[in-house]
């Protein structure tokens, strides 16, 4: 069951909302290739490391790092990374909830036929109408956060497992329906979309694109913030962690590619431009849906898909901090969930305000352009905090934990284990370090 829960955490807004536009912006197939390499060399090893740390310690991330450092070869401050992860998780939760809330608003609007025949201008003004109205946005943000808090408060069995069991299959069903819709309504554009995803245009790939691919590999597999450590702590003893990590990464990648195939045909088939950043989902797609007879239905399904995807991810973002509150502050689970939900809700208000009344926009010395709080949080978490947390996990699992214990935790697996272990010890940290040096250069 926790394979499904981990998949639910991994597939989310990152796959449906972020992957298609960063792919279109960074050279299509070439970017996908770099992204796949990042998933294999950085993502999967860290995912396996997080899951096995969790399963060995059976505690929240902060306490897991503390107790395993003590029982293996030492180091005093590893637990600090547990807090870094909790912080990153809460920040991500805060803006994820605002986007998910907007998707809920759009689900209602699309179903009501608001976008039928709408022009690009019209869609833009509808979008600005939503984000420029903090009260409305706040209401949707509140509703989404409340739903998530209730599910988390119900506990691991009745909340997390329940959501994974029902929502993940529904997610894939909806995704397939949308791909099918794209194919039926825009057959030519469908193949253009396939080309965009799989034909590598290396000239469009920049150094910044590689950074984006790496950051996204972390984000999409929910790494670097202890989520997979806490999920690992719920895994039964017999689970083969290596296989499970590969399965989660493969399913997540499949979801991202399918999302590309669900989004590109509608956009390209309506003669619209692809590379326009985050506005893709809230501005371009509604125009595309509005041009097709059954578009309102598919549009509503698409936004429902976004909401479900966000929900199973948001639930997992609560978990490291909820588990920590339960262990360290002896709180009951519902109270812990309310604290986390309340805190992230408050932080989300910053995003709500910066999308409308407090909007700002500036450019760093290099190529980095920042638009409002949302961009700051996105860059801070996926380019800095998550890779830092991931680097710490790779070093911890590769160099601090005893090899024999990790081997035991992963299930003995001869050559494959040794290969994975070598990657975790050398390749993963070195590529992360190189990427960090580059990031500092860009900023
Ligand atoms: N992995 C999720 C996505 O791709 O949308 C987002 C996410 C969930 C990030 C949970 C981090 C996390 F801990």
């Amino acid at each position: 069951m926790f394979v499904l829960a981990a998949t639910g955490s991994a597939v989310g807004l990152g796959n449906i909302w972020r992957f298609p536009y960063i792919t279109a912006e960074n050279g299509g197939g070439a970017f996908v290739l770099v992204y796949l390499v990042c998933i294999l060399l950085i993502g999967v090893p860290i995912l396996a490391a997080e899951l096995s740390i969790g399963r060995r310690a059976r505690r929240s991330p902060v306490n897991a790092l503390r107790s395993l450092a003590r029982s293996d070869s030492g180091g005093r401050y590893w637990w600090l990374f547990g807090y870094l992860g909790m912080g990153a998780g809460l920040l991500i939760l805060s803006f994820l909830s605002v986007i998910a809330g907007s998707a809920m608003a759009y689900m209602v609007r699309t179903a009501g036929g608001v976008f039928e025949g709408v022009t690009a201008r019209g869609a833009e003004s509808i979008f600005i109408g939503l984000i420029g109205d903090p009260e409305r946005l706040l209401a949707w943000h509140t509703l989404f956060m409340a739903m998530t808090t209730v599910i988390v408060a119900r506990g691991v069995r009745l909340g997390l497992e329940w959501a994974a069991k029902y929502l993940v299959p529904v997610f894939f069903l909806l995704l397939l329906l949308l791909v099918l819709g794209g194919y039926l309504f825009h057959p030519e554009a469908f193949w253009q979309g396939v080309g965009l995803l799989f034909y590598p245009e290396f000239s469009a790939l920049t150094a910044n694109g590689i950074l984006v691919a790496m950051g996204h590999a972390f984000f999409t597999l929910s790494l670097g913030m202890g989520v997979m450590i806490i999920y690992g702590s719920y895994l039964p003893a017999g689970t083969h962690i290596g296989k499970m990590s590969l399965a989660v990464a493969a399913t997540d990648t499949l979801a991202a590619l399918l999302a590309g195939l669900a989004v590109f045909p509608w956009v390209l088939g309506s003669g619209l431009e692809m590379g326009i950043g985050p506005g893709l989902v809230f501005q371009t797609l509604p125009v595309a849906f509005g041009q097709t007879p059954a578009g309102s239905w598919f549009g509503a399904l698409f936004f429902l898909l976004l909401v479900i995807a966000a929900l199973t991810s948001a639930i997992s973002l609560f978990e490291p901090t909820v588990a920590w509150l339960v262990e360290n502050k002896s709180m009951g689970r519902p109270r812990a969930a309310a604290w986390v939900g309340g805190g992230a809700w408050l932080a989300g208000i910053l995003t709500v305000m910066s999308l409308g009344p407090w909007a700002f926009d500036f450019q760093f010395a290099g190529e980095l352009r920042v638009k409002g709080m949302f961009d700051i949080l996105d860059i801070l978490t996926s380019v800095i905090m998550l890779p830092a947390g991931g680097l710490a996990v790779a070093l911890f699992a590769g160099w601090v934990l005893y090899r024999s214990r990790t081997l035991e935790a992963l299930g003995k697996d001869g050559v494959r284990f040794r290969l994975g272990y070598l990657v975790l010890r050398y390749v993963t940290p070195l590529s992360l370090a190189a990427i960090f040096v580059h990031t500092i250069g860009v900023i």
Side-chain angles (χ1 to χ4, degrees):
M1 185 45 81
F2 264 88
V3 181
L4 266 190
T7 309
S9 167
V11 292
L13 290 181
N15 303 63
I16 305 189
W17 167 77
R18 207 157 177 262
F19 179 79
Y21 82 74
I22 55 177
T23 299
E25 274 174 358
N26 290 289
F31 176 83
V32 174
L33 217 60
V34 174
Y35 164 75
L36 289 179
V37 172
C38 289
I39 290 278
L40 266 183
L41 293 187
I42 303 179
V44 173
I46 295 182
L47 176 57
E50 287 202 14
L51 289 171
S52 57
I53 289 172
R55 195 174 60 187
R56 248 191 81 190
R58 299 233 180 263
R59 290 190 173 90
S60 70
V62 171
N63 296 329
L65 291 174
R66 199 192 311 256
S67 78
L68 292 186
R70 211 173 284 152
S71 70
D72 287 18
S73 65
R76 275 237 202 117
Y77 298 107
W78 289 102
W79 51 271
L80 281 173
F81 287 99
Y83 285 111
L84 179 81
M86 275 165 48
L90 294 179
L91 289 179
I92 292 183
L93 181 59
S94 76
F95 70 77
L96 190 129
S97 168
V98 177
I99 306 172
S102 314
M104 279 159 93
Y106 266 63
M107 188 174 82
V108 177
R109 287 163 192 214
T110 334
V114 170
F115 293 105
E116 270 167 31
V118 78
T119 58
R121 268 282 175 84
E124 189 184 349
S125 76
I126 293 176
F127 183 59
I128 291 175
L130 175 70
I131 61 175
D133 182 350
E135 286 165 36
R136 192 172 290 211
L137 201 53
L138 184 64
W140 287 110
H141 163 53
T142 310
L143 180 63
F144 181 82
M145 196 63 93
M147 265 165 41
T148 317
T149 308
V150 169
I151 297 180
V152 176
R154 281 164 58 92
V156 175
R157 274 268 121 73
L158 293 176
L160 270 57
E161 288 197 1
W162 174 88
K165 187 164 144 202
Y166 292 105
L167 296 182
V168 174
V170 172
F171 168 87
F172 277 99
L173 195 73
L174 285 175
L175 189 54
L176 286 175
L177 263 178
L178 278 152
V179 174
L180 190 69
Y183 178 70
L184 289 179
F185 287 104
H186 303 286
E188 261 178 41
F190 180 86
W191 294 112
Q192 256 177 290
V194 172
L196 186 58
L197 276 176
F198 297 108
Y199 179 77
E201 176 93 45
F202 286 103
S203 57
L205 187 68
T206 58
N208 195 42
I210 298 176
L211 251 189
V212 173
M214 189 270 312
H216 188 66
F218 272 99
F219 187 84
T220 194
L221 291 181
S222 311
L223 300 177
M225 63 192 80
V227 164
M228 292 300 178
I229 295 185
I230 194 70
Y231 273 26
S233 80
Y234 302 139
L235 279 180
T239 323
H240 191 306
I241 286 181
K243 276 194 193 139
M244 176 176 163
S245 309
L246 276 173
V248 171
T251 319
D252 183 76
T253 305
L254 182 71
L257 296 174
L258 285 175
L261 290 181
V263 167
F264 295 153
W266 293 94
V267 176
L268 299 171
S270 311
L272 298 165
E273 281 286 316
M274 270 306 311
I276 45 114
L280 172 65
V281 159
F282 292 109
Q283 293 183 42
T284 314
L285 269 178
V287 178
F289 288 132
Q291 289 182 8
T292 318
S296 293
W297 285 104
F298 280 100
L301 288 183
F302 177 80
F303 287 108
L304 175 64
L305 178 77
L306 269 186
V307 175
I308 292 179
L311 194 57
T312 48
S313 301
I315 291 169
S316 73
L317 285 166
F318 270 67
E319 207 51 32
T321 314
V322 166
W324 176 78
L325 287 173
V326 169
E327 278 167 19
N328 283 31
K329 307 279 163 205
S330 23
M331 259 187 213
R333 209 182 147 91
R335 240 180 102 201
W339 272 104
V340 174
W345 176 81
L346 265 182
I349 294 180
L350 274 183
T351 299
V352 167
M353 296 307 282
S354 89
L355 285 172
W358 299 346
F360 57 88
D361 184 354
F362 61 86
Q363 186 141 13
F364 273 111
E367 328 161 31
L368 223 51
R369 182 179 188 83
V370 171
K371 271 188 158 178
M373 199 58 203
F374 166 72
D375 256 9
I376 293 194
L377 291 180
D378 191 27
I379 292 170
L380 182 70
T381 51
S382 77
V383 179
I384 299 171
M385 290 170 94
L386 303 193
L391 179 60
V393 164
L395 292 175
F396 186 74
W399 297 90
V400 174
L401 297 183
Y402 294 136
R403 186 177 182 276
S404 57
R405 301 254 181 95
T406 305
L407 184 73
E408 217 173 283
L410 286 176
K412 298 204 169 53
D413 206 356
V415 183
R416 262 182 292 172
F417 170 80
R418 258 178 268 147
L419 202 66
Y421 195 66
L422 276 182
V423 173
L424 180 70
R425 261 168 93 95
Y426 298 101
V427 182
T428 310
L430 284 176
S431 10
L432 276 175
I435 287 165
F436 261 127
V437 171
H438 176 78
T439 311
I440 293 169
V442 171
I443 293 180

